[in-house]
Amino acid sequence: MHHVECMSPLRLRKMVECIFNGSNIKVCIYTTNKTSDIIDPGKQPKERKTYALAVEDSGKNYNTVLKNIKKTVGNKPVSNIIRGLRSTKDGKLLVITDKDEDAVGKLMKTMESATETIKVRRTGEATKMEVVHIRGLDAVTKREEVVASIETKLGSLDGKSYKLSELRPNAGNTLATTLTINKEDAEIVMRDRHVRIGIVRCSTDRRINFSRCFKCWSYDHKEADCKGSNRKNLCYKCGKDGHLSKDCKEQEACPICEVIGHKAGSGKCMNFKRALSHARRKDK
């Protein structure tokens, strides 16, 4: 049996073991040298010999952060585990250290005392991002006003990793926008369930993710379990075949609700609203 690219050698081996378990059949799996070590249970993956700490400070450049860290750490004992200092591709300070859990923890605390806004994290510890919907902005709101309002809750956004979508039309001649930011800051933005933008209190809601079938567009099952109609090639706006939604000139129609006047997955779609309500209850 030859290894195929769509499946790892380890997974293929386990599948074969299940199929031929209890039989006298001998199966050989042929794979490339590059992946053959994956199916060798005796071979251990290489272990990292160092740790890397990413350091950033809101509104400060690399040299300023570096000077503050050197001044704070100085000749203290915690500095003995530092192997090197360099910059990352996006301009953050990267501190390479010995692999010593206790010493690294002490070093991180020491560096975090350099300024009130400095942040230190181990690389590989991905920052969890949260998506927040902001709705109810008045029709003439500018993007700069949204940023300024968010900064009243979080402080300056300079140096933070975030994304603010373009303002888009919403119900009642209002606007909406979407903020993607780290989970900690997202919780602060949503703490009061609103943010004041201009003279309006705009609602804030966490994006709720839930599964849907990409074959028939329903929300009560996944594609693997689908027994419904295949709508993969239909226009998402009108539900008809022969064109894409970006080229559609037809009236909006929802094949799930079987009504004209809204498209599938929109705020007017009752099936979507029921699925969203169910997902919100589970999220609480």
Side-chain angles (χ1 to χ4, degrees):
M1 180 176 290
H2 289 272
H3 164 233
V4 290
E5 291 184 356
C6 64
M7 185 181 296
S8 70
L10 181 59
R11 188 175 179 183
L12 179 61
R13 189 191 71 180
K14 288 183 177 180
M15 183 184 73
V16 171
E17 287 176 346
C18 291
I19 294 173
F20 295 100
N21 183 36
S23 71
N24 295 323
I25 299 174
K26 181 179 179 180
V27 179
C28 295
I29 299 176
Y30 296 92
T31 185
T32 60
N33 290 331
K34 184 177 180 180
T35 56
S36 60
D37 58 342
I38 299 177
I39 61 173
D40 182 0
K43 187 167 183 176
Q44 299 295 324
K46 289 185 178 180
E47 190 174 344
R48 291 178 60 180
K49 297 180 180 179
T50 60
Y51 283 145
L53 308 177
V55 185
E56 58 181 317
D57 201 345
S58 178
K60 297 181 176 63
N61 61 30
Y62 173 80
N63 286 340
T64 302
V65 175
L66 177 58
K67 289 177 182 178
N68 288 338
I69 290 298
K70 290 181 69 175
K71 182 179 178 181
T72 302
V73 175
N75 295 320
K76 295 177 182 177
V78 291
S79 66
N80 293 333
I81 65 167
I82 297 177
R83 290 195 180 190
L85 301 168
R86 61 181 180 84
S87 69
T88 62
K89 291 181 180 180
D90 54 354
K92 295 184 179 68
L93 171 63
L94 194 68
V95 182
I96 310 300
T97 73
D98 292 333
K99 191 175 180 181
D100 185 327
E101 285 287 346
D102 292 337
V104 167
K106 292 177 182 178
L107 177 62
M108 291 177 70
K109 287 184 178 179
T110 302
M111 291 193 294
E112 286 170 348
S113 67
T115 69
E116 293 182 355
T117 54
I118 202 164
K119 292 184 179 180
V120 183
R121 67 174 179 85
R122 292 188 189 181
T123 58
E125 296 178 350
T127 303
K128 291 185 177 180
M129 304 298 282
E130 195 86 67
V131 179
V132 181
H133 295 302
I134 305 175
R135 300 184 178 91
L137 293 74
D138 68 67
V140 294
T141 302
K142 303 296 182 184
R143 190 176 190 276
E144 293 74 18
E145 294 179 76
V146 181
V147 173
S149 296
I150 294 171
E151 288 185 329
T152 61
K153 287 179 172 279
L154 302 179
S156 175
L157 292 175
D158 292 339
K160 286 184 180 290
S161 177
Y162 78 98
K163 181 180 179 181
L164 185 66
S165 72
E166 294 297 323
L167 275 60
R168 58 185 181 274
N170 201 33
N173 204 23
T174 61
L175 299 175
T177 186
T178 300
L179 172 68
T180 305
I181 199 165
N182 70 75
K183 188 172 183 179
E184 181 181 330
D185 286 336
E187 293 294 340
I188 296 173
V189 172
M190 295 185 293
R191 183 175 296 161
D192 301 320
R193 303 191 70 177
H194 73 267
V195 57
R196 183 169 289 279
I197 302 176
I199 60 174
V200 180
R201 290 204 313 179
C202 303
S203 65
T204 56
D205 294 295
R206 177 188 289 105
R207 173 180 286 176
I208 304 296
N209 295 314
F210 52 91
S211 60
R212 66 175 302 178
C213 175
F214 292 100
K215 178 185 174 185
C216 73
W217 303 354
S218 295
Y219 301 97
D220 57 354
H221 62 269
K222 294 184 179 180
E223 184 175 352
D225 306 314
C226 183
K227 297 180 181 179
S229 303
N230 189 346
R231 299 189 174 105
K232 287 185 176 182
N233 296 322
L234 301 186
C235 169
Y236 204 72
K237 178 185 174 185
C238 69
K240 296 180 180 179
D241 199 1
H243 62 273
L244 300 176
S245 57
K246 65 178 182 178
D247 304 317
C248 183
K249 297 180 181 179
E250 300 286 338
Q251 187 177 359
E252 288 187 349
C254 177
I256 306 174
C257 299
E258 297 182 340
V259 297
I260 296 174
H262 71 263
K263 61 183 179 180
S266 67
K268 296 179 181 179
C269 178
M270 292 306 299
N271 282 278
F272 171 78
K273 290 170 74 172
R274 279 194 291 267
L276 180 60
S277 178
H278 178 69
R280 279 178 173 159
R281 287 195 297 270
K282 290 179 64 177
D283 188 59
K284 290 182 179 180

